[in-house]
Every structure is written in structure tokens, then in C-alpha cells.
């Protein structure tokens, strides 16, 4: 089943300085919904961005999986140049422009997007997953390999164990063990999903490996694309 073309419902400038970017995050963070608000999920997307070591080039990939079988039904790669400096807490301004370009090109619109990064587990409660979710008004999950913000106790060692990621008295995410005796992932609400549902989806998307299939497939795509670009530049 194919869906309408994906377009952002909120369009804002990306060419901002640090102060403007922080102010925009603070404003848009008020739009984040931390409850389940989505239809039946048929397709789940993974997004990832990788950077060239040789230049200011970056590559964004979107992979669409069938939510039941976890088989890839569509994928797309977009090349772009880096336009925003490396500033912790503002990665979405660096990585979202090519992701937005890629989302506009896909033919199979997902009902859920899993981001390799943070949602509300962020100093201003507005990491990349929340930013993407709000501007497209789509359910999103932040699923990071490392902690950006908050404190936690290590979850127990078995698959499915989860502890809370806290910022003082506020729950900002879950520390989820997706495979027994493997390092946990940092899961947080992006937009239009609850933390419990987000953790359940990440577990479902991790049948064999530590990382969800959405992230694994997107990561493999951007690595292949960068490798081909590098080989092309060597041969040219």
C-alpha cells in the first residue's frame, strides 16, 4: 500500500546561528506529544547520516521496512554538503536537511520513523527524533547507541530489561537491553508515541542484533554509499 508524498508541515530556516537554533528548539519542543497517537503501523523507517572524512560531504539514507516481516521495501540515499557546524545538542540542524530531502523522495510513507539519535533525552527535550517528528507530524523514536543526557542505573542482563533514564525527577527515556549480555540502547520518545510503546517497538525491531533493523539497514546503506564515493574520488 502506497501513501501520499511526505512533506514537512512546519518549514523553517536551517541557516541559523547557534543562538537562533537553540531558541527554535525551545519553541518547537512545546509541540512534542509523548502519547501514542498513530494509526496501524504497516511500514517503519530507519534514518541515518554518515560523513565523509575527506570532505564536507554527508550522506543520508532512509530505509523502509515492512513492520511485520522487517523486510526492506524501499530505500533511498541522498548526498549533501555539511551546512551547520558540529555543536553538541544541535545535531538535527546538521543532519535533518538531507533527511528531509530523502523523505520527500520516498514512495512508501512510513507510519513510524526510528532515528539513530535522541528524542526528548536531550537538554532541551528536542533531539533529532523529536525535531523530525514535529516538522513532519509523524510518530518517531530516538534510539541512540550512547547517552547524551540524563542519569540511569544499569538494567539487568537479560533481553528486554529496561531502566529509566532520568533528568532529576523527570523521566526522559529508557535504557533498554535488546540482547542478553549486550550493551543497552538509549530509547526516548520522539513524537506521538509513549516511552513504553517506543521500547516495545525497538525490541520488536531487534530480533537478532543489538541495533534495530531500521538502524542497521540504514547504516549499511550510508557506509556503502560513502565507500563508493571514496572509490570514485580515488579513481577520478
Amino acid at each position: 500500500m502506497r501513501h501520499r508524498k511526505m512533506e514537512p508541515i512546519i518549514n523553517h530556516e536551517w541557516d541559523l546561528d547557534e543562538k537562533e537554533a537553540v531558541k527554535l528548539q525551545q519553541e518547537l519542543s512545546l509541540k512534542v506529544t509523548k502519547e501514542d497517537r498513530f494509526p496501524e503501523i504497516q511500514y517503519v523507517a530507519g534514518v541515518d547520516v554518515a560523513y565523509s572524512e575527506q570532505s564536507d560531504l554527508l550522506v543520508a539514507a532512509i530505509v523502509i521496512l515492512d513492520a511485520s516481516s522487517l523486510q526492506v521495501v524501499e530505500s533511498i540515499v541522498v548526498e549533501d554538503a555539511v551546512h551547520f557546524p558540529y555543536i553538541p545538542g544541535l545535531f538535527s540542524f546538521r543532519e535533518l536537511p538531507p533527511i528531509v530531502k530523502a523523505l520527500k523522495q520516498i514512495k512508501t510513507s512510513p507510519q513510524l520513523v526510528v532515528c539513530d539519535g535522541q528524542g526528548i533525552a536531550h537538554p532541551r527535550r528536542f533531539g533529532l527524533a523529536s525535531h523530525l517528528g514535529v516538522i513532519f507530524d509523524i510518530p518517531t523514536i530516538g534510539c541512540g547507541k550512547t547517552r547524551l543526557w540524563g542519569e540511569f542505573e544499569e538494567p539487568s542482563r537479560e533481553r528486554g530489561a529496561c531502566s529509566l533514564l532520568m533528568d532529576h525527577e523527570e523521566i526522559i527515556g529508557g535504557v533498554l537491553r535488546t540482547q542478553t549480555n549486550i550493551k543497552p540502547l538509549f530509547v526516548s520518545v520522539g513524537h506521538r508515541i509513549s516511552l513504553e510503546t517506543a521500547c516495545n517497538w525497538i525490541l520488536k525491531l531487534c530480533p537478532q542484533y543489538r541495533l534495530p533493523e531500521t538502524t542497521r539497514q540504514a547504516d549499511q546503506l550510508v557506509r556503502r554509499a560513502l565507500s563508493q564515493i571514496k572509490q570514485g574520488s580515488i579513481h577520478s
Side-chain angles (χ1 to χ4, degrees), residues 98-170:
I99 290 172
V100 170
K101 284 183 188 176
L103 280 170
K104 287 179 176 181
Q105 294 179 34
I106 60 172
K107 297 182 178 68
T108 312
S109 294
Q111 290 81 39
L112 176 65
V113 181
V114 177
C115 299
D116 180 20
Q118 314 300 329
I120 65 166
H122 179 278
R124 288 172 294 281
R125 309 293 185 263
F126 203 68
L128 186 144
S130 295
H131 199 156
L132 177 62
V134 165
I135 65 172
F136 278 93
D137 193 27
I138 188 170
T140 53
I141 300 172
C143 183
K145 300 189 250 328
T146 56
R147 176 186 69 98
L148 173 68
W149 201 253
E151 304 297 328
F152 67 97
E153 292 183 6
E154 194 76 13
S156 55
R157 305 297 298 178
E158 72 276 5
R159 170 179 158 87
C162 188
S163 62
L164 293 175
L165 183 64
M166 306 290 296
D167 185 9
H168 300 290
E169 300 297 309
E170 185 181 355

Side-chain angles (χ1 to χ4, degrees), residues 9-25:
I9 63 157
I10 295 174
N11 289 284
H12 64 71
E13 294 294 327
W14 295 98
D15 184 19
L16 304 174
D17 62 28
E18 183 175 354
K19 191 174 177 182
E20 291 169 332
V22 167
K23 184 170 182 286
L24 183 62
Q25 281 185 330

Side-chain angles (χ1 to χ4, degrees), residues 16-224:
L16 304 174
D17 62 28
E18 183 175 354
K19 191 174 177 182
E20 291 169 332
V22 167
K23 184 170 182 286
L24 183 62
Q25 281 185 330
Q26 291 166 335
E27 290 170 1
L28 292 180
S29 70
L30 301 176
K31 297 181 180 292
V32 171
T33 297
K34 294 176 262 189
E35 301 160 4
D36 292 333
R37 289 195 187 162
F38 50 79
E40 180 188 354
I41 294 173
Q42 289 183 288
Y43 299 110
V44 184
V47 301
D48 198 15
V49 175
Y51 299 86
S52 168
E53 294 172 3
Q54 288 81 31
S55 67
D56 65 351
L57 182 79
L58 56 77
V59 174
I62 308 233
V63 178
I64 313 288
L65 305 187
D66 179 276
S68 300
S69 67
L70 304 187
Q71 295 298 305
V72 176
V73 296
E74 188 180 355
S75 60
I76 191 160
V77 174
V78 168
E79 294 177 26
D80 202 359
V82 176
H83 295 296
F84 196 87
Y86 180 90
I87 303 173
L90 294 175
F91 287 158
S92 62
F93 290 90
R94 191 174 167 89
E95 299 194 347
L96 272 183
I99 290 172
V100 170
K101 284 183 188 176
L103 280 170
K104 287 179 176 181
Q105 294 179 34
I106 60 172
K107 297 182 178 68
T108 312
S109 294
Q111 290 81 39
L112 176 65
V113 181
V114 177
C115 299
D116 180 20
Q118 314 300 329
I120 65 166
H122 179 278
R124 288 172 294 281
R125 309 293 185 263
F126 203 68
L128 186 144
S130 295
H131 199 156
L132 177 62
V134 165
I135 65 172
F136 278 93
D137 193 27
I138 188 170
T140 53
I141 300 172
C143 183
K145 300 189 250 328
T146 56
R147 176 186 69 98
L148 173 68
W149 201 253
E151 304 297 328
F152 67 97
E153 292 183 6
E154 194 76 13
S156 55
R157 305 297 298 178
E158 72 276 5
R159 170 179 158 87
C162 188
S163 62
L164 293 175
L165 183 64
M166 306 290 296
D167 185 9
H168 300 290
E169 300 297 309
E170 185 181 355
I171 298 169
I172 59 171
V175 186
L176 177 67
R177 190 91 60 187
T178 55
Q179 301 296 336
T180 299
N181 292 328
I182 298 291
K183 283 196 295 187
L185 296 175
F186 294 84
V187 180
S188 56
V189 169
H191 183 51
R192 285 177 52 183
I193 196 164
S194 66
L195 179 59
E196 181 182 4
T197 303
C199 288
N200 289 339
W201 266 104
I202 295 301
L203 261 188
K204 181 181 178 179
L205 292 166
C206 295
Q208 286 182 282
Y209 302 100
R210 177 189 179 221
L211 295 179
E213 285 302 299
T214 41
T215 300
R216 287 185 66 249
Q217 299 287 350
D219 180 66
Q220 289 171 16
L221 254 187
V222 290
R223 286 172 188 268
R224 273 202 304 272

